[in-house]
């Protein structure tokens, strides 16, 4: 674990439909050493029924990252201290679309980790 700037960032990656994108992003985040990560799948139905609001990860998280418009729209009201980011990584049409999507997710998460490293360097100066 990287030390010097707070604790690891707690991130919940959320996708609509399949959990696969959120799981991949969470794995990249955890591997970075800068983040603790969880993956969730949400649907508009979960939001409408209030089921999404019952998820305890919303209180745990510092940041919720919605990976598609459906997930973003299905997010329940979150605590005021939880930041929300939306990056559009739609579900690929077929299996051939998965490797490029996975690479794009990896690059996005690596960018997040680089930002955390930069904040740590600034805090030490």
């Amino acid at each position: 674990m990287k030390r010097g700037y707070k604790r690891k960032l707690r991130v919940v990656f959320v996708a609509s439909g399949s959990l696969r994108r959120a799981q991949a992003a969470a794995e990249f985040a955890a591997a970075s050493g800068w983040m603790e990560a969880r993956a969730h799948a949400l649907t508009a139905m979960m939001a409408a029924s209030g089921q999404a609001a019952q998820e305890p990860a919303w209180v745990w998280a510092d940041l919720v990252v919605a990976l598609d418009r459906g997930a973003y729209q299905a997010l329940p009201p979150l605590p005021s201290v939880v930041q929300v980011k939306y990056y559009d990584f739609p579900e690929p049409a077929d299996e051939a679309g998965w490797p490029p999507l996975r690479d794009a997710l990896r690059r996005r998460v690596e960018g997040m980790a680089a930002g955390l490293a930069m904040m740590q360097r600034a805090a030490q100066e």
Side-chain angles (χ1 to χ4, degrees), residues 6-66:
K6 298 185 179 183
R7 60 171 165 70
K8 290 183 180 184
L9 181 69
R10 294 176 180 164
V11 183
V12 177
F13 292 94
V14 181
S16 63
S18 169
L19 186 60
R20 190 173 183 187
R21 290 167 292 152
Q23 286 175 324
E27 288 170 11
F28 292 132
S32 76
W34 291 96
M35 294 171 256
E36 293 179 61
R38 296 180 181 173
H40 289 285
L42 290 178
T43 65
M45 238 176 156
M46 290 173 73
S49 70
Q51 184 180 358
Q54 304 305 315
E55 175 55 51
W58 308 138
V59 176
W60 172 84
D62 300 311
L63 173 65
V64 172
V65 178

Side-chain angles (χ1 to χ4, degrees), residues 4-5 117-125:
Y5 183 77
M118 185 174 67
M119 289 190 325
Q120 178 177 336
R121 283 192 301 275
Q124 291 175 340
E125 294 177 354

